[in-house]
Amino acid sequence: MKKIDLIPRIQELYSKGQNILEFLKNESGSALNSIEDILISYDFQAGSYIKHALDNPLYIDKYSTAIAAVLNQLGDLNTVMEIGVGEATTLANVSPKLANRDLSYFGFDISWSRIYVGKDYSLQRNLSINLFVADLFKIPLPDNSIDVVYTSHSIEPNGGRESEALLELYRVARKFVVLLEPTNEFADEEGKARMKKNGYVHNLKGQIENLGYKLIDYRPFDVIVNPLNPTGLYVIQKSAQDNGHAIPGIHSFCCPISKGDLIEYADHFFCAYSLLSYPKILGIPCLTPSNAILTAKHH
């Protein structure tokens, strides 16, 4: 992590309520947010989303109900995964509202601290969610693993990498990709300027169409909190040709770098193909490329 030496300074700025992501972007002199910047910013925020959920139960219920309504229209599903699950405050409230009570739930985030507090949040609600640390551009799952993957403003800060994100989500999805993301087309001029300044994703509809994906629903989402950052709904249906007629259900984790199978041990995962190992911290799988440790003598 190139900016690890800035952590004490970042901690001080965060305690004063300053925008960490903006500070890190200014430090690098880039117009775009890097994965490292997003990771550091989100990790320091861990716990804030749970506090917001507890302080705003009516909003959380309304938002999660609207998401569940979309997912319930997608037919027979066995597995659902939230990309950028954060502290699980969305997925943990969506899952009880889904019609199929036998679904398996998965979620990952780039921030270990957010997964850690999210795990506790979901367990307090007697919900079983498979949570792990991962990079949305290198998801440690094989092709066609999850029936529906969805986002909730989680690819938002990755402006400039829209197509790259869409390709990876589409790869992992078996049936549908559902995006709830900022939509500049639905914003006024002030909102568009704000999105550009913050490095948010742009023109997702155009990017989806350029990739040749089947967009079956596109509209302003039913619940929009900030008119300067309006949420758009995008529902992409994956063709049978693209999903290879994959069998239902999730496969084992795979190495995010080589896509070779991962073998699970008590405190780590090992890939015999790439000879890379990935740790577990307090039981949470850490499966980003930056977590990889070369273990050529692993037996």
Side-chain angles (χ1 to χ4, degrees):
M1 185 181 293
K2 297 178 181 177
K3 297 177 180 175
I4 195 71
D5 57 333
L6 292 175
I7 296 301
R9 173 64 173 154
I10 293 168
Q11 189 171 16
E12 178 187 352
L13 293 174
Y14 183 74
S15 67
K16 296 178 179 178
Q18 296 194 26
N19 188 313
I20 301 303
L21 196 55
E22 185 175 350
F23 165 76
L24 291 169
K25 190 164 61 173
N26 290 337
E27 281 290 312
S28 63
S30 173
L32 302 177
N33 301 313
S34 71
I35 284 292
E36 185 180 28
D37 293 347
I38 294 168
L39 163 60
I40 294 171
S41 175
Y42 282 177
D43 208 75
F44 271 94
Q45 293 178 37
S48 62
Y49 279 65
I50 290 176
K51 183 179 185 305
H52 177 267
L54 296 176
D55 290 344
N56 298 275
L58 294 180
Y59 160 72
I60 293 297
D61 182 66
K62 184 177 181 181
Y63 186 63
S64 59
T65 298
I67 295 175
V70 173
L71 300 183
N72 279 330
Q73 294 175 1
L74 300 181
D76 184 34
L77 304 173
N78 293 293
T79 50
V80 172
M81 179 165 69
E82 182 176 342
I83 307 295
V85 71
E87 298 161 30
T89 52
T90 299
L91 182 54
N93 287 284
V94 168
S95 55
K97 299 177 174 67
L98 295 179
N100 184 352
R101 296 297 180 182
D102 296 322
L103 284 167
S104 295
Y105 298 100
F106 302 83
F108 70 81
D109 200 88
I110 192 70
S111 162
W112 180 89
S113 295
R114 297 184 86 189
I115 291 294
Y116 178 69
V117 299
K119 185 177 180 180
D120 185 60
Y121 178 83
S122 58
L123 288 175
Q124 288 180 13
R125 283 151 184 76
N126 297 314
L127 295 169
S128 177
I129 301 175
N130 297 281
L131 297 171
F132 55 101
V133 177
D135 180 340
L136 76 88
F137 297 103
K138 295 286 185 180
I139 300 174
L141 293 173
D143 298 356
N144 312 305
S145 293
I146 306 291
D147 285 342
V148 56
V149 301
Y150 79 88
T151 71
S152 175
H153 286 257
S154 52
I155 65 171
E156 175 180 286
N158 293 284
R161 303 185 71 184
E162 292 87 353
S163 290
E164 189 180 349
L166 289 167
L167 284 165
E168 185 67 349
L169 301 190
Y170 193 82
R171 178 188 71 79
V172 172
R174 179 174 177 260
K175 293 184 177 181
F176 298 96
V177 176
V178 177
L179 306 176
L180 299 168
E181 295 293 339
T183 307
N184 57 292
E185 297 97 316
F186 302 147
D188 58 20
E189 292 306 312
E190 183 182 359
K192 290 176 182 177
R194 178 180 179 274
M195 290 181 186
K196 184 176 181 179
K197 177 185 176 183
N198 290 338
Y200 287 175
V201 290
H202 177 78
N203 189 29
L204 280 176
K205 182 174 184 290
Q207 305 268 7
I208 291 167
E209 292 171 341
N210 288 340
L211 290 169
Y213 296 161
K214 184 178 180 181
L215 187 63
I216 62 173
D217 198 359
Y218 167 66
R219 55 183 167 85
F221 192 50
D222 296 336
V223 181
I224 295 177
V225 179
N226 184 357
L228 294 178
N229 193 34
T231 304
L233 170 66
Y234 310 76
V235 180
I236 302 167
Q237 184 173 17
K238 193 166 184 178
S239 69
Q241 180 180 357
D242 287 341
N243 73 22
H245 304 283
I247 61 173
I250 191 170
H251 301 271
S252 299
F253 287 126
C254 68
C255 172
I257 296 172
S258 70
K259 296 300 183 287
D261 290 343
L262 286 179
I263 303 167
E264 185 173 2
Y265 292 83
D267 59 359
H268 70 286
F269 293 83
F270 173 67
C271 177
Y273 176 75
S274 63
L275 301 179
L276 297 174
S277 289
Y278 298 85
K280 295 181 191 176
I281 300 178
L282 297 182
I284 297 172
C286 299
L287 304 175
T288 70
S290 61
N291 296 140
I293 302 167
L294 180 59
T295 51
K297 298 301 181 181
H298 194 293
H299 296 289

